[in-house]
Amino acid sequence: MVGLFMVAGLLALFFLAMKVSNLGTFTGGGVYQVAARFENIGGLKVKAPVTMAGVEVGRVKAIGYDPKTFQAVVTLGINTGYNEIPDDTFAKILTAGLLGEQYIGLEPGGSLRNLTEGDEIRLTQSALVLEDVIGQFIFGKAQEGGAK
Amino acid sequence: MINVLADFGRAGIRAVGGLGRASVLLTAMLAGLWELIRRPRLLLEQVYSVGTLTMIIIAVSGLFVGMALALQGFYILSQFGAEATLGVMVAAALVRELGPVLTALLFAGRAGSALTAEIGLMKATEQLAGLEMMAVNPVRRVLTPRLFAGVLALPLLAALFSALGVLGGWYVGVGLLGVDDGTFWAQMQAKVDWYEDIINGLIKSLAFGFACTWIAVYQGYDCVPTSEGVSRATTRTVVHSALAVLGLNVMLTALMFGN
């Protein structure tokens, strides 16, 4: 009977591990790290997904700040299974839904060289900051009014 | 006036004295660990009575709690068009908070009170004194296996509670309310983290198991050996366990998820 209890408890734990948490979704194999610099990362968080054509290919590993260039340095961990990403790939910070969480979308370029461990993505686009957009909109409206 | 002050002081001395006796008892129980390892049968018997016999109530409660969570969660989430995150809500609430806490409360009511009553009656009928007469250390022979059985059983019971709660939530969400099956699991797997959520929940339930069983065993061992004393001790076990679990939970939550 104790065996029954132990088996039930461990089965429950296994179910939690595999079906409920992300332990079962690890694709196996390691990741290679690529850096990308952004002017503004908005609300991007560590562990945010990195997607390509909407498919998750990795996750944000670390976010740092470079005091020399005043830019954010985001380290992406990309699964080694996706090792044919051109080195002129374009990285954008996107938002899932209107108020959803932010993630990084990669758009492949045309280069024949692929990204490898330690490379840096040079073409980036910052996060959309809602206040800036509203500011630009109001500024544009004011200019329109002044021209009349 | 002086009397009130004196009563206050007496209550304080009693509380501190109880804590001291509980700590001395704990060291005595931990000293019996080596004997327990050599005789695992004693542990198995106790795991049966605190674990296996508590399994049914935990399983049924987990199922119902998961179902109620899904119903309530769906009501609120559907107002924002976010039914897809129902799975995350149910699973995260269960593995982080409700699983460990409710399991510990049920455990205190079902197994903790039984432990106290059993040990208290052993004391009242002088079985513990009898063991001592036979040169058997009653703390090591009777209390140590019960303490470790509780510490071992509670994490497994909490895992069972959470797992069945998720299944109950899945049945209500997907089966009755029409949330998409795929998104329910996919969102859950994307957001619930093995170390961050599940391991931390297990650590919580380990701590609760330790606190609950320690209180139960101490109250039984320390009770006044009369029928009234045993009944008082049993009540105290449930009250103190519930307070200890809820207080510990606030502290552990602040430590684990607070930043």
Side-chain angles (χ1 to χ4, degrees):
Chain A
M1 285 309 265
V2 176
L4 182 76
F5 165 63
M6 298 293 252
V7 167
L10 292 176
L11 265 183
L13 202 59
F14 182 74
F15 169 78
L16 287 179
M18 288 306 163
K19 195 82 178 150
V20 175
S21 81
N22 54 1
L23 203 62
T25 52
F26 281 139
T27 39
V31 293
Y32 63 98
Q33 296 187 4
V34 175
R37 288 163 186 276
F38 293 92
E39 297 293 333
N40 188 339
I41 56 165
L44 192 74
K45 298 267 176 2
V46 173
K47 280 172 137 185
V50 176
T51 65
M52 214 163 176
V55 179
E56 186 180 316
V57 295
R59 284 185 181 269
V60 172
K61 276 221 129 163
I63 294 174
Y65 175 70
D66 182 352
K68 292 218 174 72
T69 58
F70 307 114
Q71 283 175 322
V73 184
V74 177
T75 312
L76 315 177
I78 298 176
N79 293 353
T80 38
Y82 305 101
N83 58 359
E84 294 191 354
I85 300 175
D87 69 348
D88 59 346
T89 289
F90 186 49
K92 290 199 279 191
I93 297 182
L94 303 167
T95 309
L98 190 58
L99 300 168
E101 68 171 332
Q102 290 182 305
Y103 65 98
I104 292 187
L106 298 180
E107 276 176 27
S111 170
L112 294 176
R113 245 196 98 244
N114 290 329
L115 283 173
T116 51
E117 168 78 33
D119 276 0
E120 188 178 319
I121 296 177
R122 283 180 302 276
L123 304 168
T124 62
Q125 179 189 312
S126 290
L128 192 79
V129 179
L130 210 55
E131 285 88 338
D132 288 351
V133 177
I134 295 171
Q136 276 174 6
F137 176 75
I138 293 173
F139 187 65
K141 276 282 178 199
Q143 272 191 331
E144 254 174 54
K148 258 183 221 167
Chain B
M1 185 63 200
I2 292 293
N3 275 339
V4 173
L5 212 61
D7 283 350
F8 192 63
R10 205 167 292 133
I13 289 172
R14 203 179 302 140
V16 174
L19 259 164
R21 282 199 301 281
S23 305
V24 169
L25 183 65
L26 181 65
T27 19
M29 285 192 288
L30 292 181
L33 182 59
W34 175 242
E35 277 182 33
L36 187 66
I37 293 170
R38 279 188 305 172
R39 299 173 70 184
R41 248 212 98 66
L42 290 177
L43 184 67
L44 279 186
E45 280 167 15
Q46 294 309 318
V47 171
Y48 173 75
S49 74
V50 300
T52 313
L53 295 181
T54 318
M55 207 164 69
I56 302 294
I57 183 177
I58 294 289
V60 175
S61 314
L63 206 61
F64 287 163
V65 167
M67 285 175 166
L69 257 184
L71 281 169
Q72 290 290 355
F74 184 82
Y75 169 70
I76 294 178
L77 291 174
S78 63
Q79 295 185 346
F80 302 104
E83 299 96 296
T85 55
L86 185 69
V88 189
M89 202 212 81
V90 171
L94 277 168
V95 295
R96 282 184 164 201
E97 294 289 331
L98 292 175
V101 172
L102 286 182
T103 307
L105 292 180
L106 288 168
F107 182 85
R110 166 65 186 72
S113 57
L115 279 180
T116 304
E118 189 187 6
I119 296 169
L121 269 173
M122 278 184 178
K123 191 180 177 187
T125 52
E126 296 185 339
Q127 293 179 46
L128 294 183
L131 279 177
E132 217 158 346
M133 292 301 286
M134 295 189 286
V136 177
N137 185 335
V139 172
R140 294 185 182 183
R141 179 67 172 71
V142 176
L143 302 191
T144 306
R146 285 171 171 75
L147 179 76
F148 283 98
V151 174
L152 210 70
L154 200 69
L156 291 176
L157 289 171
L160 194 69
F161 186 99
S162 298
L164 278 159
V166 168
L167 285 179
W170 169 78
Y171 174 70
V172 168
V174 175
L176 302 182
L177 298 169
V179 175
D180 183 65
D181 191 25
T183 52
F184 185 89
W185 293 113
Q187 288 270 347
M188 195 190 293
Q189 284 164 5
K191 295 282 158 54
V192 177
D193 189 65
W194 168 249
Y195 295 101
E196 182 89 349
D197 296 317
I198 294 181
I199 291 290
N200 275 343
L202 279 182
I203 293 172
K204 268 188 179 182
S205 55
L206 259 179
F208 296 163
F210 183 72
C212 279
T213 344
W214 182 19
I215 290 172
V217 166
Y218 164 70
Q219 291 292 357
Y221 192 69
D222 197 55
C223 75
V224 182
T226 57
S227 48
E228 195 194 355
V230 173
S231 97
R232 285 240 177 103
T234 312
T235 313
R236 267 204 305 273
T237 294
V238 176
V239 173
H240 289 189
S241 297
L243 287 176
V245 164
L246 295 172
L248 263 178
N249 182 46
V250 174
M251 277 192 267
L252 288 174
T253 305
L255 280 176
M256 288 166 174
F257 311 112
N259 52 346

